[in-house]
Amino acid sequence: MKFRAVPRNDGDVLILDLTGTLSLGEGSATLRNIIRGYIDQGHLKIIANMDGVDHLDSSGIGELVAAYTALKRKSGELKLLKLSKAVDNALLITRLYTVFDIHNDEATAVAAFH
């Protein structure tokens, strides 16, 4: 499935509903461009809703880490929401659960920014 990121706002928090394959090539490059674009526009509170991501490889993980780092450098934050099985497995294997702030409930994730 082709990678897509559909943006929506909850106050000053940008929520990206991600769907498809987040892997080497189009998916990871698309995520990189989208996140950088929003950071450049001043969005520093971003939630990536991972519920619709059906595959995540090391390139996709790298882009999530790069987005996390880019936001931290600007005093922003990236939170992950509703991990799909594929994302959950990838973060478990890479031990990145300790890096990301992960939530199962959108309202809780939004509230965690305030």
Side-chain angles (χ1 to χ4, degrees):
M1 175 191 273
K2 184 175 175 155
F3 180 77
R4 290 180 16 141
V6 178
R8 56 191 171 88
N9 292 309
D10 186 332
D12 63 346
V13 177
L14 175 69
I15 301 167
L16 295 173
D17 293 316
L18 307 180
T19 57
T21 300
L22 186 50
S23 61
L24 182 62
E26 186 177 333
S28 61
T30 300
L31 181 64
R32 177 184 331 115
N33 293 334
I34 289 169
I35 296 281
R36 287 183 183 163
Y38 283 118
I39 292 171
D40 290 345
Q41 292 173 24
H43 293 278
L44 298 179
K45 298 176 183 176
I46 300 177
I47 296 173
N49 179 358
M50 309 296 287
D51 192 36
V53 176
D54 58 20
H55 179 75
L56 178 70
D57 71 3
S58 60
S59 179
I61 291 170
E63 288 306 326
L64 288 174
V65 171
Y68 172 87
T69 303
L71 282 159
K72 279 291 187 194
R73 274 193 295 247
K74 296 197 177 235
S75 299
E77 194 169 353
L78 173 69
K79 297 183 185 303
L80 302 183
L81 175 65
K82 297 181 185 174
L83 303 185
S84 67
K85 183 83 171 152
V87 175
D88 185 63
N89 287 339
L91 294 182
L92 187 63
I93 290 168
T94 58
R95 297 190 172 121
L96 287 173
Y97 266 98
T98 59
V99 173
F100 293 106
D101 186 10
I102 301 168
H103 297 269
N104 292 319
D105 176 73
E106 185 173 308
T108 304
V110 170
F113 282 110
H114 304 291

